[in-house]
Amino acid sequence: MKTSASIITKIALGALLAGSIVACNQNKPATPATPAAATSVKPEIVYINEDTVNTKYNASIDMRKRLEDKGKSMQNDVGGKRQALQREIAEYQKNAATLSADQRQTTEQRLQREGQTEQSYEQNASAQMQTAQADESKKLYEKVYEFTKQYAKENGYKMVLTFQTGNAQLLYADPSLDVTADYLKKLNDAYAKEKK
């Protein structure tokens, strides 16, 4: 008798449990299984093609032009000083036979000092160019970073990654997450307003 009561209790508990599960499932709203619902959700993580931004962002283009012009100017200046020194050396070599020993020694010492000065000037010009490039790059990075923060906030993105050809940091990203065109347009628009 005990065994049959135990079996009846187990069956009743099983039925009660099954009824509870069915009742709980009836209270849940049905979730659509269509993939269209998934595509209408805006992504929180997107990426930008850094190669495109570097080549088409007007501030980057202007920066490269400024640095190129400055580099050419420095090269012309350094080249002019080098040529002037070379002319002096050639002139000395041409007239060395007619100079006294003291004149040759004095001229050689002067030309050696001028050579060292020209070399030092060239090194300083190179260092100034590197500093200018670093400063310009830092300013550009800060500008892009601040714009990207605002862009992400306006569009509800939690993360904006960059993609660069040959960079192993991001091997693959779905093209639907690429917001480069919109980002670049707005970035250039902001730069155009800033230039005015």
Side-chain angles (χ1 to χ4, degrees), residues 81-96 99 102-120:
K81 290 184 182 305
R82 187 180 306 129
Q83 286 176 350
L85 178 62
Q86 288 172 347
R87 279 193 302 269
E88 280 190 64
I89 291 171
E91 185 68 27
Y92 163 72
Q93 290 171 342
K94 185 172 126 182
N95 298 326
L99 299 175
D102 286 344
Q103 288 175 321
R104 279 196 308 266
Q105 183 180 6
T106 304
T107 304
E108 287 173 2
Q109 288 174 349
R110 180 181 58 79
L111 290 173
Q112 187 177 12
R113 282 191 308 271
E114 286 179 15
Q116 290 170 347
T117 301
E118 189 274 327
Q119 189 175 23
S120 177

Side-chain angles (χ1 to χ4, degrees), residues 10-58:
K10 288 180 183 177
I11 292 174
L13 283 174
L16 184 62
L17 182 62
S20 297
I21 291 172
V22 170
C24 287
N25 283 341
Q26 287 179 351
N27 291 336
K28 289 184 181 177
T31 56
T34 61
T39 59
S40 67
V41 175
K42 192 169 188 174
E44 293 180 342
I45 299 174
V46 294
Y47 71 91
I48 294 164
N49 187 319
E50 190 174 334
D51 296 325
T52 302
V53 173
N54 284 338
T55 58
K56 295 184 179 179
Y57 177 34
N58 293 334

Side-chain angles (χ1 to χ4, degrees), residues 1-9:
M1 193 74 161
K2 245 181 172 183
T3 309
S4 61
S6 173
I7 293 174
I8 293 174
T9 305

